Amino acid sequence: MLELDFTPSGYVYMALIWACAGIGAAVLARRQGRNPLLWCAVCLIAPIALFYLAGEHSGREDARTKARREQAQASADGKGIE
């Protein structure tokens, strides 16, 4: 699974990437005779929506959390046998 960097530097990198995507979309839209503000907004909102859908709201359990839970359950089962 993709590891996201939720530190201040990670937020700066994400903001720079989103800003470049929005500006690039606006430039391309203007060259094609389309509405640059609309395409800039779409390219700024789309990554946020994708992160939201792929993140914790997808209903899946994080792999690390699942592994810890399974380890705890296995060690608890092992202690009960002895």
Side-chain angles (χ1 to χ4, degrees), residues 13-82:
Y13 293 139
M14 286 191 297
L16 289 173
I17 291 169
W18 287 337
C20 289
I23 292 168
V27 169
L28 289 174
R30 186 173 182 146
R31 286 183 188 167
Q32 297 293 325
R34 306 286 185 217
N35 185 350
L37 292 176
L38 173 70
W39 282 100
C40 180
V42 167
C43 288
L44 289 175
I45 293 171
I48 296 169
L50 292 175
F51 276 117
Y52 178 79
L53 292 173
E56 294 179 20
H57 303 286
S58 67
R60 294 187 195 169
E61 186 177 9
D62 183 51
R64 288 184 203 162
T65 307
K66 185 176 180 181
R68 288 183 193 132
R69 183 177 46 82
E70 289 175 354
Q71 280 182 337
Q73 186 178 13
S75 65
D77 291 342
K79 290 179 184 175
I81 294 173
E82 293 177 6

Side-chain angles (χ1 to χ4, degrees), residues 5-14:
D5 183 17
F6 290 109
T7 60
S9 63
Y11 286 118
V12 170
Y13 293 139
M14 286 191 297

